[in-house]
C-alpha cells in the first residue's frame, strides 16, 4: 500500500501560480520566499525582444529573441501570454518552457500583472491559480515604496496614481490576501499551493488508482 500511495503522489500535473498586486505590496518578496522554501515550484523564464544587459544570461534571466522570432512564435500561438511594453520591447511566456515543468508534476510561479493573468486563465483555466496581494493601507504602501529605495519620487508618484486602476481587478483573482506581515502571507500562499495540488484535475494518477481499487474489490 505504501508503494501505491508513493506512486500516486508522484503522478500529478503541475499548476501555474500567478501572484499579482500593486508595486510595494511585497509580491516580489513573497515569490522569493516561496521559491526558496519549495523545491517543486519553479520560476518561469520569459522571452523578450529587448537587448540583453551586461549582467544578464540568456535562458536564465530571459530568453532573448529577435522581433522576427517573436512574431513567428506569436503566430504559432507559442505563448501562454504576451505583451508589448510601453518602452518598445515585447515579452511572452513560452508554452514549451512552462509545459516542460507541468508535465512532470512541477509547479510554476509567476509575478505577473492582471492582463497577463487574464490571458493565461483563458488559455489554461484548469492549470492556472491566481492570487492577488493587497496592502494593509495606502499609507503603508507608500511607506514601503519609499523604504525600499529603488524608485525616484517621480516613479513612486506615478505608481500611486495607478493604484486605483490596478486594484480594480482584484475580483478576477481566485484568492485575495492582505499582506500585513510577510511571514504570515507566505504561509497562507503555501497553504493555497498545497490545497491546489490536491485538486482532482491535477492528480492524474487517480484514475489508475481507482481502477486498482475497483479490481481489488472484485476479488474480495
Amino acid at each position: 500500500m505504501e508503494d501505491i500511495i508513493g506512486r500516486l503522489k508522484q503522478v500529478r500535473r503541475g499548476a501555474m501560480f500567478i501572484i499579482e498586486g500593486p508595486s510595494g505590496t511585497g509580491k516580489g518578496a513573497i515569490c522569493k520566499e516561496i521559491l526558496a522554501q519549495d523545491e517543486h515550484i519553479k520560476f518561469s523564464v520569459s522571452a523578450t525582444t529587448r537587448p540583453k544587459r551586461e549582467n544578464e544570461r540568456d535562458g536564465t534571466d530571459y530568453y532573448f529573441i529577435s522581433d522576427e522570432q517573436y512574431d513567428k512564435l506569436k503566430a504559432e500561438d507559442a505563448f501562454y501570454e504576451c505583451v508589448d511594453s510601453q518602452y518598445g520591447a515585447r515579452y511572452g511566456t513560452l508554452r514549451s518552457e512552462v509545459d516542460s515543468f507541468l508535465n512532470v508534476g512541477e509547479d510554476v510561479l509567476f509575478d505577473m500583472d492582471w492582463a497577463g493573468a487574464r490571458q493565461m486563465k483563458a488559455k489554461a483555466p484548469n492549470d492556472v491559480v491566481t492570487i492577488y496581494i493587497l496592502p494593509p493601507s495606502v499609507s503603508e504602501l507608500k511607506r514601503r515604496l519609499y523604504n525600499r529605495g529603488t524608485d525616484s519620487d517621480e516613479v513612486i508618484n506615478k505608481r500611486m496614481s495607478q493604484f486605483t486602476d490596478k486594484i480594480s481587478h482584484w475580483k478576477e483573482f481566485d484568492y485575495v490576501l492582505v499582506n500585513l506581515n510577510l511571514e504570515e502571507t507566505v504561509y497562507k500562499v503555501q497553504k493555497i499551493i498545497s490545497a491546489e495540488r490536491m485538486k482532482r484535475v491535477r492528480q492524474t494518477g487517480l484514475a489508475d488508482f481507482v481502477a486498482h481499487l475497483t479490481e481489488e474489490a472484485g476479488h474480495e
Side-chain angles (χ1 to χ4, degrees):
M1 179 58 73
E2 288 184 4
D3 289 343
I4 294 173
I5 297 299
R7 289 198 301 273
L8 188 61
K9 288 180 178 179
Q10 293 172 5
V11 183
R12 183 181 71 84
R13 179 166 175 79
M16 295 182 263
F17 294 94
I18 298 175
I19 295 184
E20 156 70 320
S23 295
T25 51
K27 60 184 185 293
I30 293 167
C31 288
K32 184 178 179 180
E33 286 298 315
I34 294 296
L35 290 167
Q37 296 179 31
D38 191 335
E39 64 179 358
H40 295 295
I41 192 162
K42 314 298 181 185
F43 196 77
S44 173
V45 178
S46 299
T48 182
T49 61
R50 76 160 172 77
K52 181 165 68 73
R53 294 168 185 159
E54 186 176 345
N55 63 333
E56 291 178 328
R57 292 184 297 170
D58 185 45
T60 299
D61 298 290
Y62 287 98
Y63 292 108
F64 296 96
I65 61 176
S66 66
D67 281 304
E68 291 74 20
Q69 288 173 308
Y70 185 96
D71 289 337
K72 184 174 184 293
L73 289 167
K74 187 173 181 180
E76 295 171 348
D77 196 26
F79 295 122
Y80 269 122
E81 62 85 34
C82 55
V83 64
D84 294 352
S85 85
Q86 58 183 317
Y87 304 108
R90 297 185 288 174
Y91 297 83
T93 299
L94 291 163
R95 287 177 180 266
S96 58
E97 166 79 7
V98 176
D99 288 346
S100 67
F101 294 119
L102 300 186
N103 292 335
V104 295
E106 298 289 306
D107 302 310
V108 186
L109 185 66
F110 302 83
D111 177 350
M112 182 181 291
D113 69 10
W114 63 267
R118 182 184 287 179
Q119 288 183 52
M120 293 186 69
K121 195 83 169 179
K123 289 188 176 181
N126 289 332
D127 290 332
V128 175
V129 180
T130 56
I131 305 169
Y132 200 89
I133 307 296
L134 290 169
S137 68
V138 174
S139 59
E140 173 61 16
L141 179 70
K142 183 177 284 190
R143 186 191 71 80
R144 290 177 183 178
L145 287 171
Y146 276 109
N147 284 355
R148 71 185 188 181
T150 57
D151 297 323
S152 65
D153 288 356
E154 181 182 358
V155 171
I156 290 175
N157 289 334
K158 183 177 180 180
R159 293 190 188 283
M160 293 306 300
S161 70
Q162 297 170 338
F163 175 76
T164 302
D165 178 66
K166 187 84 168 175
I167 65 170
S168 68
H169 298 279
W170 69 274
K171 289 184 180 180
E172 298 179 30
F173 286 72
D174 300 315
Y175 300 90
V176 180
L177 302 175
V178 177
N179 184 23
L180 183 62
N181 174 274
L182 178 61
E183 184 177 351
E184 181 181 344
T185 303
V186 168
Y187 175 76
K188 289 178 180 178
V189 172
Q190 289 172 325
K191 287 295 185 182
I192 291 170
I193 292 172
S194 295
E196 288 290 339
R197 284 172 172 167
M198 292 296 100
K199 280 193 170 178
R200 176 181 52 78
V201 294
R202 298 196 180 96
Q203 294 193 67
T204 53
L206 277 177
D208 288 341
F209 181 65
V210 173
H212 171 80
L213 291 178
T214 303
E215 182 181 357
E216 184 180 4
H219 294 299
E220 289 296 324

